[in-house]
Amino acid sequence: MAIDGKQKTLLQTVGVVVLMGGLAWASVPFYDWFCKVTGFGGTPNVASAAGDILDKTIKIRFDASKERGMPWEFKPVQPEMTIRIGEEGLAFYEAYNPTNRPVAGQASYNVTPYEAGGFFYKIDCFCFEEQVLMPGERVQMPVSFFVDPEIVTDRDAKHTGHITLSYTFHEIDLPEEAQAALDAKRDADASVN
């Protein structure tokens, strides 16, 4: 069966649309993976423990922000700390839900300067999980981290004197378990009345 000029053009157009759609769909996970592997864009790495500790220190600054419309109050407990390179640090951020409803949030993070992103390792972080705060609830959320000693030999990052760890909280839908618990409580309260 021979394909005429119009059918060939139509097939090529459909092929280009499908290809572009596939590339658009794959671009977000690919970019996320690329940033995690390379530290590009200030994305910190995740580690299980710190290693060697140097006598050289570095200042870590902590920043907190919220997406527009996020009702929580969110701030670092301390604005900065100085640690030795390779030493494990522990910092806390505080979140408060002043509303009369449960609010779920997810934190996105960034490290500046960007050159330091590949050397900043998080061991444990509240940003790894969704957070749900009940009405009036205030929590302190930990992040443990270290700066890889390799930073002192990196051509671009060796002159870094401070690193800023920034978090932005975004409101998300309540996780299914939290919503189910609220629905069960509401049903129990309704049956009592």
Side-chain angles (χ1 to χ4, degrees), residues 32-51:
D32 185 50
W33 169 82
F34 176 77
C35 289
K36 286 179 181 175
V37 168
T38 64
F40 180 77
T43 302
N45 297 306
V46 178
S48 58

Side-chain angles (χ1 to χ4, degrees), residues 59-146:
K59 185 178 288 188
I60 309 296
R61 296 179 182 154
F62 304 101
D63 180 54
S65 63
K66 304 175 296 178
E67 175 185 51
R68 182 178 299 165
M70 175 59 153
W72 290 358
E73 294 174 11
F74 177 57
K75 64 182 182 183
V77 172
Q78 67 185 83
E80 63 185 34
M81 71 171 49
T82 301
I83 61 170
R84 293 184 303 171
I85 294 176
E87 175 183 30
E88 185 177 331
L90 178 64
F92 291 89
Y93 281 76
E94 183 177 276
Y96 171 64
N97 179 4
T99 70
N100 60 358
R101 65 180 175 88
V103 177
Q106 179 71 52
S108 59
Y109 51 87
N110 194 332
V111 172
T112 54
Y114 296 125
E115 301 82 33
F119 300 98
F120 191 90
Y121 284 83
K122 289 198 249 178
I123 298 168
D124 194 19
C125 181
F126 62 89
C127 62
F128 295 160
E129 300 175 0
E130 300 170 338
Q131 304 294 321
V132 178
L133 296 184
M134 293 297 135
E137 184 177 11
R138 183 181 306 271
V139 296
Q140 288 195 353
M141 303 174 292
V143 56
S144 59
F145 60 90
F146 69 94

